[in-house]
Amino acid sequence: MEAATPLRNTTVRVLQDRITVDGLVVHDDCTVRLAHEREAAGDDPARFVSDAIEIGARVLDREQAGANADFVRVEFEKASREVEAAFSDRAGALGKEMAERLDEALAPDTGHLAKALERHFSDESSSAVQHRVKTLVDEVMARSREDLLRQFSSADGKNPLADFKAGTMEVLRQASDRQDQSLRALAEQLALTQRELQALRDERVKQEELEAERERGTAKGRTFEDAVHEALDRIALARGDDCEAVGDQKGATRKTGDVVVSIDAAQGPPRGRIVFEAKNSKLSKPEALRELDRGLTERDADFAVLVVPNEDKLPARMQPLREFNGDKLIVCHDPEDGSRIALEVAYSLSRARVLMGRGDGEGVDSAALHDSVERALGAMDDVRRIKSQLTGATTSIEKADGILEAMAGRVREHLHEIEELLRSGAEPERD
């Protein structure tokens, strides 16, 4: 900004936080042009002049502060050089004096420290610290050993560990007694466990031999499935049914089902089909039901029967000769005992159920049939009970066997009644 050319006396007064200017004239092209533009834009020229003065004052203030800073920096650098020079001189003098003092104190041969160390720590000096310390330690250790030996060797109250020693000995004695008792009990338990283990081993060997014998059938090399088929074939032959072993033949999608019985197929078209699944292994209840359902589907049968060799192979929570879901039951048949009465009961029950389900027994007395079935099942329970008694009995075998045959005869009579009741119904038309 160019200097202002006063046309008249200019008066400037400073009043606390403001300045008043009177008679000020500014000849500056930039300032005049900006004032005209602000006025043309409708702004107050006085406001523009006030802003210009404020901005210029701030610029002047910054320039003044910069000049002051440069001055301070120059003066500080000058003082720093002087101080550095003085410090260097003083440090050199002190270093020289310190070197002389250190050499006097720490010189290897003539220094005060070397002489003091040789006097107090040299092996040749009798007053060396390590010798004096060693002598004191030896004396203290000797007295301590003597005191400890006197205290711990006495059994009176002077020994601080007398009670501890007595208590420790008592605890050790009790622990030894308990350990001895525990070892004796452990030896007895181990002997008992060994006997039980041997008994289990013997039982397992017997079970394996029994399973191997059952796998061989009735000592003729037959499988359990073959034995079941042979028994079913004899039962079916007496009733005019057709019995076929299909275990090696694929059904609809798989080989489920070992024997299929076609009712009355020996005399004409079959009136229904029964599938028998022989299992020499134990299944769970869900597995058994799934196996029977697959047999019904694969062999297009109306009823399914699961045959197992003994009650140990029955699925859990399933009773023999009890129907499940109206189209399945389970029976135990042991080919080795020579009796097929249980299999005959299962055969007759499933045969009657198929014929009744197909409507071929509309003229049958259902109440009488139900009573006959219940009597047959009750008699079969008696057979199982007596058979169980025979298994564990060692005397009166012949008498019990006679009772068993009599009961088996009663079962066959009931089965015969069932057959007669079924025949008394309306005969189906033949093609």
Side-chain angles (χ1 to χ4, degrees), residues 63-81:
E63 291 179 353
Q64 184 64 35
N68 293 335
D70 292 339
F71 175 76
V72 172
R73 180 174 57 79
V74 172
E75 292 297 325
F76 179 75
E77 290 177 352
K78 180 179 178 182
S80 297
R81 286 192 296 270

Side-chain angles (χ1 to χ4, degrees), residues 43-56:
D43 295 338
D44 185 8
R47 179 64 181 168
F48 165 70
V49 173
S50 176
D51 292 342
I53 292 173
E54 292 176 0
I55 294 171

Side-chain angles (χ1 to χ4, degrees), residues 1-4 24-32 49 51-57 59-60:
M1 182 175 15
E2 297 180 0
L24 178 64
V25 178
V26 179
H27 290 280
D28 182 72
D29 295 338
C30 180
T31 304
V32 173
V49 173
D51 292 342
I53 292 173
E54 292 176 0
I55 294 171
V59 172
L60 290 175

Side-chain angles (χ1 to χ4, degrees), residues 225-226 228-230 232-234 236-237 241-250 256-263 265 273-277 299 347:
E225 290 80 2
D226 293 336
V228 171
H229 172 253
E230 180 180 344
L232 289 173
D233 187 58
R234 293 181 180 180
L237 181 63
D241 301 333
D242 180 62
C243 179
E244 181 182 6
V246 295
D248 296 331
Q249 302 175 16
K250 187 176 181 180
T256 304
D258 296 311
V259 179
V260 173
V261 172
S262 300
I263 300 175
R273 292 164 63 90
I274 307 171
V275 60
F276 289 83
E277 178 70 25
R299 303 304 176 181
Y347 188 102

Side-chain angles (χ1 to χ4, degrees), residues 57-360:
R58 292 188 180 93
V59 172
L60 290 175
D61 183 65
R62 284 196 298 272
E63 291 179 353
Q64 184 64 35
N68 293 335
D70 292 339
F71 175 76
V72 172
R73 180 174 57 79
V74 172
E75 292 297 325
F76 179 75
E77 290 177 352
K78 180 179 178 182
S80 297
R81 286 192 296 270
E82 293 177 355
V83 171
E84 183 178 358
F87 180 78
S88 298
D89 295 340
R90 182 60 179 168
L94 291 175
K96 184 177 180 181
E97 183 179 358
M98 181 66 70
E100 292 176 356
R101 295 291 180 85
L102 289 175
D103 186 62
E104 181 182 353
L106 303 178
D109 298 326
T110 61
H112 298 306
L113 180 61
K115 293 179 180 179
L117 290 174
E118 184 177 3
R119 184 172 63 255
H120 292 291
F121 295 98
S122 175
D123 292 337
E124 289 77 10
S125 175
S126 60
S127 61
V129 174
Q130 63 268 27
H131 296 315
R132 297 175 62 186
V133 171
K134 183 176 182 300
T135 302
L136 291 175
V137 170
D138 290 341
E139 293 176 358
V140 172
M141 291 298 295
R143 287 197 300 267
S144 298
R145 284 194 296 270
E146 292 176 358
D147 293 340
L148 287 175
L149 182 61
R150 277 196 307 271
Q151 290 182 3
F152 288 102
S153 61
S154 62
D156 54 11
K158 294 181 180 180
N159 187 354
L161 298 180
D163 296 338
F164 176 76
K165 288 171 61 178
T168 302
M169 293 300 295
E170 179 63 22
V171 170
L172 291 176
R173 185 186 62 78
Q174 295 176 0
S176 177
D177 293 341
R178 287 195 298 269
Q179 184 180 14
D180 186 56
Q181 294 175 0
S182 299
L183 289 176
R184 285 197 298 268
L186 181 60
E188 295 175 358
Q189 185 65 31
L190 181 59
L192 178 61
T193 303
Q194 289 176 345
R195 289 194 297 270
E196 293 178 352
L197 181 60
Q198 186 61 40
L200 290 175
R201 289 173 178 170
D202 296 340
E203 182 66 23
R204 186 178 64 180
V205 170
K206 293 179 181 179
Q207 188 67 24
E208 291 176 353
E209 293 176 353
L210 181 60
E211 293 295 333
E213 185 66 23
R214 284 175 177 168
E215 289 292 338
R216 290 193 296 269
T218 55
K220 295 181 179 179
R222 297 175 301 170
T223 65
F224 179 64
E225 290 80 2
D226 293 336
V228 171
H229 172 253
E230 180 180 344
L232 289 173
D233 187 58
R234 293 181 180 180
I235 298 172
L237 181 63
R239 290 167 172 77
D241 301 333
D242 180 62
C243 179
E244 181 182 6
V246 295
D248 296 331
Q249 302 175 16
K250 187 176 181 180
T253 59
R254 56 199 303 172
K255 296 180 180 181
T256 304
D258 296 311
V259 179
V260 173
V261 172
S262 300
I263 300 175
D264 286 344
Q267 303 172 3
R271 300 168 62 187
R273 292 164 63 90
I274 307 171
V275 60
F276 289 83
E277 178 70 25
K279 286 292 182 183
N280 199 16
S281 58
K282 185 172 183 177
L283 303 177
S284 65
K285 182 177 180 179
E287 291 174 342
L289 294 178
R290 283 196 297 268
E291 192 75 12
L292 293 176
D293 285 331
R294 283 196 294 264
L296 290 171
T297 302
E298 296 294 330
R299 303 304 176 181
D300 191 23
D302 304 289
F303 205 93
V305 180
L306 177 64
V307 185
V308 296
N310 52 61
E311 293 188 359
D312 292 338
K313 298 298 178 64
L314 286 173
R317 298 185 301 277
M318 298 185 77
Q319 298 295 326
L321 298 177
R322 292 293 184 268
E323 290 190 38
F324 297 92
N325 302 332
D327 58 356
K328 293 179 280 291
L329 63 79
I330 300 175
V331 64
C332 296
H333 171 65
D334 188 356
E336 296 181 8
D337 64 6
S339 175
R340 57 174 184 268
I341 185 62
L343 193 61
E344 291 184 35
V345 173
Y347 188 102
S348 297
L349 292 179
S350 57
R351 190 175 189 275
R353 176 63 71 180
V354 171
L355 293 178
M356 293 293 292
R358 285 181 170 266
D360 294 340

